[in-house]
């Protein structure tokens, strides 16, 4: 196994089990890099990487998962590059200075639509052969396209497409309980909301207010018999959602240490959805926490601090803003929407793999362009 192949994560190996074998046209001479926030312990980004990798496999290409920075030695072996992941466009590309991407075909897949776009991405979005963003409202899509296009080509020349997140194409695990009606809540907090000492004062005020209001709401639910479980979907030496769980838990009066799960959210879609299916309700401050809840057919309340949590489609059952969050508003939404009968609808990925086929169609077009450029 070469160095590039060794970068494939365990999450990909596990998720392949959920797919039947596919007959594909051999394109294994085409090596396509996948660049994003990979190998940093974030379940959402690892699942997204798995979705892109499996799509490339189905289309007959060889995925090269780039865990960390894109170096010149890796870039020299690539025929094309796919950039994927949320909250990427407002920051610089994780690429070494001596890597020349100007002549490399680039695609963006399952990226969010940031209101602030870094010059690196603004440049390459205008050159990209393919852009598939997560489905948002049409008005916001046009605003972002105009923001990118004002310094480059007209937006009519972009190959823009809108599809639900590629994670929806991954297989979901079986529900571990046929009808989880017991009063249990799974919470995915987000440590990125915890301010550092040198952050602006308003961030400290917002976090402190949210913790107080959320803790009060959880105390009320616990007093009514609900079981609370916090679970981390991101964990690495510098970022761990458990830190947010601890801060919220310490504000509660009915707190117990066992409310914080010792398990992390799995990086395998089948295992992750099985974990979630143990619960009656999900409350998520993480984008892919809401997506996985939908895949597991468990009602979810999204507490959004970012547009990707607010505007994405399909929307969660309930949605509340982080800024200005109140316990009263949460309890109204909780009892009014989340306690409706369990969702009874076709999963977004669809049984016949309609969404996967849509992604495959676009990726095959991208690969055809790579063959022309070769």
């Amino acid at each position: 196994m070469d160095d590039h192949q060794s970068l494939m994560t365990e999450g990909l190996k596990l998720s392949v089990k959920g797919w039947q074998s596919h007959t594909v046209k051999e394109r294994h001479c085409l090596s396509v890099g996948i660049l994003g926030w990979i190998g940093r312990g974030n379940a959402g980004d690892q699942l997204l990487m798995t979705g892109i990798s499996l799509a490339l496999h189905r289309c007959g290409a060889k995925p090269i998962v780039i865990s960390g920075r894109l170096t010149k030695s890796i870039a020299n072996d690539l025929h094309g590059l796919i950039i994927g992941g949320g909250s990427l466009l407002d920051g610089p590309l994780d690429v070494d200075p001596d890597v020349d991407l100007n002549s490399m075909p680039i695609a963006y897949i399952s990226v969010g639509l940031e209101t602030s776009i870094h010059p690196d991405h603004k440049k390459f979005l205008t050159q990209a052969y393919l852009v598939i963003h997560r489905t948002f409202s049409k008005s916001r899509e046009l605003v972002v396209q105009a923001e990118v296009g004002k310094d480059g080509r007209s937006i009519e020349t972009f190959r823009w497409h809108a599809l639900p997140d590629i994670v929806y194409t991954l297989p979901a695990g079986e529900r571990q309980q046929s009808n989880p009606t017991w009063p249990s809540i799974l919470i995915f907090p987000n440590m990125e909301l915890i301010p550092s000492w040198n952050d602006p004062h308003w961030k400290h005020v917002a976090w402190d207010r949210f913790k107080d209001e959320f803790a009060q709401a959880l105390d009320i639910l616990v007093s009514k018999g609900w079981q609370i479980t916090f679970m981390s979907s991101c964990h690495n030496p510098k970022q761990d959602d458990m830190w947010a769980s601890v801060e919220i838990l310490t504000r509660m009066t009915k707190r117990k240490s066992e409310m914080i799960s010792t398990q992390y959210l799995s990086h395998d879609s089948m295992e992750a959805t099985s974990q979630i299916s143990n619960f009656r309700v999900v409350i998520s401050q993480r984008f892919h926490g809401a997506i996985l809840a939908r895949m597991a057919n468990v009602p979810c309340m999204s507490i959004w601090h970012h547009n990707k949590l607010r505007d994405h489609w399909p929307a969660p059952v309930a949605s509340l803003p982080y800024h200005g969050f109140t316990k009263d508003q949460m309890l109204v939404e909780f009892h009014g929407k989340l306690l409706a009968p369990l969702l009874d609808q076709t999963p977004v990925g669809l049984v016949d793999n309609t969404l996967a086929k849509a992604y495959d169609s676009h990726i095959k077009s991208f690969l055809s362009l790579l063959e022309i450029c070769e």
Side-chain angles (χ1 to χ4, degrees):
M1 179 179 292
D2 60 36
D3 292 339
H4 298 329
Q5 288 177 310
S6 68
L7 294 173
M8 301 298 291
T9 66
E10 193 64 27
L12 174 58
K13 298 174 186 175
L14 290 169
S15 289
V16 169
K17 295 186 299 183
W19 285 93
Q20 296 179 344
S21 61
H22 294 263
T23 302
V24 297
K25 176 185 176 183
E26 288 296 325
R27 279 198 178 102
H28 290 291
C29 57
L30 293 178
S31 297
V32 181
I34 305 173
L35 181 65
W37 214 68
I38 300 169
R40 295 173 173 90
N42 185 285
D45 287 287
Q46 294 302 121
L47 288 166
L48 190 144
M49 176 275 298
T50 300
I52 297 174
S53 295
L54 288 174
L56 287 169
H57 272 298
R58 293 194 301 270
C59 296
K62 178 183 178 182
I64 304 297
V65 178
I66 303 163
S67 183
R69 293 180 66 81
L70 175 58
T71 64
K72 189 173 182 179
S73 61
I74 296 175
N76 288 339
D77 293 333
L78 301 179
H79 297 94
L81 179 68
I82 292 177
I83 300 170
S87 303
L88 283 177
L89 301 186
D90 57 359
L93 279 168
D94 201 6
V95 176
D96 279 352
D98 58 348
V99 175
D100 180 16
L101 295 181
N102 291 303
S103 59
M104 180 177 293
I106 292 176
Y108 284 80
I109 293 183
S110 272
V111 292
L113 293 181
E114 316 297 340
T115 53
S116 175
I117 301 175
H118 191 275
D120 286 357
H121 293 289
K122 188 175 292 188
K123 172 184 177 182
F124 290 113
L125 278 168
T126 62
Q127 300 176 6
Y129 281 44
L130 172 68
V131 179
I132 302 179
H133 62 75
R134 296 163 177 161
T135 311
F136 291 95
S137 64
K138 187 66 177 177
S139 59
R140 182 158 175 254
E141 173 188 340
L142 293 176
V143 167
V144 175
Q145 288 189 14
E147 173 65 22
V148 174
K150 70 182 183 182
D151 296 326
R153 299 180 296 175
S154 64
I155 61 173
E156 287 79 14
T157 63
F158 290 158
R159 296 179 173 90
W160 288 81
H161 303 276
L163 291 172
D165 193 274
I166 198 170
V167 171
Y168 281 122
T169 67
L170 297 177
E174 295 183 0
R175 184 182 294 279
Q176 295 186 8
Q177 300 290 337
S178 59
N179 187 24
T181 57
W182 64 91
S184 56
I185 305 172
L186 177 61
I187 302 170
F188 291 115
N190 192 332
M191 66 77 49
E192 292 180 16
L193 295 169
I194 303 176
S196 300
W197 65 266
N198 57 345
D199 279 325
H201 179 66
W202 65 266
K203 289 188 176 182
H204 292 264
V205 173
W207 176 240
D208 286 339
R209 175 182 171 82
F210 170 75
K211 286 188 298 183
D212 285 344
E213 292 290 320
F214 193 39
Q216 290 177 70
L218 294 180
D219 274 334
I220 292 171
L221 292 173
V222 170
S223 68
K224 294 182 178 181
W226 285 88
Q227 300 174 20
I228 307 295
T229 299
F230 292 89
M231 182 177 288
S232 300
S233 66
C234 181
H235 62 100
N236 64 57
K238 293 186 177 181
Q239 288 185 317
D240 195 322
D241 286 341
M242 187 178 292
W243 305 341
S245 301
V246 170
E247 289 209 20
I248 295 169
L249 185 67
T250 55
R251 295 294 182 107
M252 296 175 61
T253 59
K254 301 184 182 299
R255 58 182 178 261
K256 295 180 181 179
S257 59
E258 56 263 34
M259 289 179 174
I260 298 181
S261 174
T262 56
Q263 289 186 328
Y264 291 102
L265 182 64
S266 174
H267 294 180
D268 170 61
S269 63
M270 297 183 70
E271 292 183 1
T273 48
S274 292
Q275 287 176 300
I276 292 172
S277 71
N278 283 318
F279 297 86
R280 175 66 175 81
V281 170
V282 170
I283 299 175
S284 182
Q285 293 183 280
R286 284 287 184 180
F287 179 73
H288 283 99
I291 286 179
L292 290 165
R294 185 79 178 222
M295 292 170 64
N297 216 26
V298 176
C300 177
M301 173 185 288
S302 172
I303 301 176
W304 57 270
H305 65 285
H306 191 285
N307 290 334
K308 67 181 181 182
L309 276 162
R310 182 190 65 187
D311 295 338
H312 80 279
W313 184 91
V317 173
S319 180
L320 290 174
Y322 166 74
H323 296 285
F325 178 94
T326 67
K327 68 178 188 300
D328 294 333
Q329 188 181 18
M330 173 184 155
L331 293 173
V332 168
E333 291 287 300
F334 185 89
H335 292 292
K337 294 182 178 179
L338 291 188
L339 298 190
L342 282 176
L343 300 175
D344 183 16
Q345 57 191 12
T346 303
V348 178
L350 302 179
V351 175
D352 61 357
N353 293 331
T354 299
L355 185 60
K357 292 176 182 177
Y359 271 100
D360 291 356
S361 175
H362 292 307
I363 289 176
K364 285 177 182 177
S365 297
F366 177 62
L367 295 176
S368 296
L369 290 170
L370 301 190
E371 291 174 332
I372 294 172
C373 294
E374 200 177 2

